[in-house]
Amino acid sequence: MSNEPSPGGLNGGTTPRRQANTEIAIKVRDLVVGFEDKPVLEGLDLDVYRGEVLGFVGGSGTGKSVLSRALLRLTPKRGGLIEILGRNIDRISAAEYAALEKRIGVMFQQGALFSGLTVRQNVEVPMREHLHLSPRLRSELAMLKIELAGLSPDSAGKYPAELSGGMIKRAALARALALDPELVFLDEPTSGLDPIGAAEFDELIATLQRTLDLTVFMVTHDLDSLYSVCDRIAALADRRVVATGPISAMLASEHPWVRAYFHGKRARQMDLTCLATRGGQTNSDLVEADPSRFAGEGQS
């Protein structure tokens, strides 16, 4: 398994989407996490580089969200090393970790918005906790984040129950961006969205990453997102990361789960229809990487 950043851009194509960066934002070594007598992660190693969007994939119930929670100290680990933005999270004081938290934004899978607060009030929550701002300035900053996430100003006064699924995702993203973080965790950001809404959200993530120079750790099962947004992908199976790299590396992997995921019928259909030219990589590039994948599919 290689954790080296790809010299190419999206999908490992020949046109770089952004310059490769070898500075590590998240470093994990020999991580062990479990519940009672059931191990979930064992001997897991992973690097996430500054300025990249890393897609983290794995089967249902394999521990994708468990890793995110361990990285955020929401789930205790049994062993191993975790460094976030250069800090060993086990060797810093509470005050130092509070300072580190200001540099991190989190978007939970179902949004996790407070039902009794409006969108604007939800976005203000991190500001209330970490910043000493006047109510007026806090409100103005919250409105900026709401618009940055693609919501209209009139959405600010609505409660979560009044929002569509896509609006909840955007409101949760606005809250994740409230403190101008360097590192953002996204847990299944497009789950539950229709294809058009998911594509728009993918585009929003890519735009914000470029504009704000974010590092993004994205747990996802969405093949569209992996192709259109992620610089690299890390695949979780057998309680550890079994493959890392761009799409081309996933196609070349011999691990059974990775092959099943990236060589399945749905993946082939996507390649042959809507993914022909994304990120500078055409279907012919994918065929060259793995000719057997398209045998009998009638690609042009």
Side-chain angles (χ1 to χ4, degrees):
M1 181 186 73
S2 172
N3 279 333
E4 290 302 312
S6 168
L10 192 65
N11 300 336
T14 57
T15 303
R17 178 168 158 221
R18 62 181 68 94
Q19 186 67 35
N21 191 341
T22 57
E23 185 179 359
I24 296 175
I26 301 175
K27 178 179 180 179
V28 182
R29 294 291 182 271
D30 201 24
L31 181 66
V32 179
V33 181
F35 302 101
E36 296 180 352
D37 61 345
K38 180 183 178 182
V40 178
L41 306 173
E42 286 188 302
L44 186 145
D45 295 335
L46 179 67
D47 290 333
V48 180
Y49 297 95
R50 283 186 181 266
E52 77 170 343
V53 180
L54 181 105
F56 193 65
V57 300
S60 298
T62 56
K64 301 186 300 296
S65 295
V66 170
L67 175 60
S68 294
R69 293 180 64 84
L71 296 176
L72 295 166
R73 294 211 313 192
L74 298 176
T75 295
K77 62 183 178 65
R78 294 177 176 176
L81 169 75
I82 295 176
E83 291 184 359
I84 304 292
L85 300 175
R87 306 302 303 273
N88 184 328
I89 64 172
D90 292 324
R91 295 184 177 179
I92 57 177
S93 66
E96 289 172 322
Y97 188 75
L100 181 63
E101 282 185 312
K102 295 180 184 179
R103 303 166 64 190
I104 299 171
V106 182
M107 176 184 163
F108 294 100
Q109 184 171 350
Q110 302 300 329
L113 299 176
F114 295 103
S115 60
L117 301 180
T118 65
V119 170
R120 178 180 57 77
Q121 290 169 336
N122 267 280
V123 176
E124 289 182 11
V125 168
M127 301 179 193
R128 288 178 178 273
E129 182 176 353
H130 292 286
L131 305 177
H132 301 288
L133 303 174
S134 67
R136 179 179 177 180
L137 180 56
R138 190 169 60 237
S139 178
E140 290 176 354
L141 287 175
M143 292 301 298
L144 287 174
K145 303 302 179 182
I146 289 168
E147 294 186 47
L148 191 65
L151 288 172
S152 62
D154 62 2
S155 302
K158 294 183 177 180
Y159 290 89
E162 301 175 284
L163 304 177
S164 67
M167 294 172 71
I168 288 175
K169 300 281 188 182
R170 290 173 184 265
L173 181 60
R175 185 175 63 184
L177 299 174
L179 300 179
D180 296 324
E182 302 168 43
L183 171 63
V184 176
F185 289 82
L186 306 178
D187 192 355
E188 299 284 7
T190 59
S191 66
L193 300 182
D194 62 72
I196 294 175
E200 291 175 345
F201 203 87
D202 283 341
E203 184 177 353
L204 174 62
I205 293 170
T207 299
L208 291 174
Q209 190 286 324
R210 291 192 301 268
T211 304
L212 304 177
D213 194 25
L214 299 171
T215 301
V216 180
F217 179 87
M218 181 168 66
V219 174
T220 185
H221 67 276
D222 191 327
L223 284 165
D224 271 316
S225 297
L226 295 174
Y227 276 82
S228 63
V229 179
C230 298
D231 298 294
R232 290 192 310 135
I233 300 163
L236 175 67
D238 306 325
R239 302 175 186 148
R240 60 188 178 88
V241 173
V242 296
T244 59
I247 287 289
S248 57
M250 299 299 107
L251 295 178
S253 174
E254 294 297 325
H255 189 277
W257 185 88
V258 178
R259 288 191 64 82
Y261 189 85
F262 288 96
H263 294 254
K265 182 177 180 180
R266 184 179 175 215
R268 290 196 297 270
Q269 289 174 339
M270 289 171 60
D271 292 330
L272 293 168
T273 54
C274 64
L275 298 175
T277 59
R278 282 185 174 175
Q281 188 178 35
T282 63
N283 278 340
S284 60
D285 298 321
L286 295 174
V287 172
E288 184 177 353
D290 184 5
S292 65
R293 178 179 180 185
F294 295 90
E297 294 295 331
Q299 72 274 10
S300 58

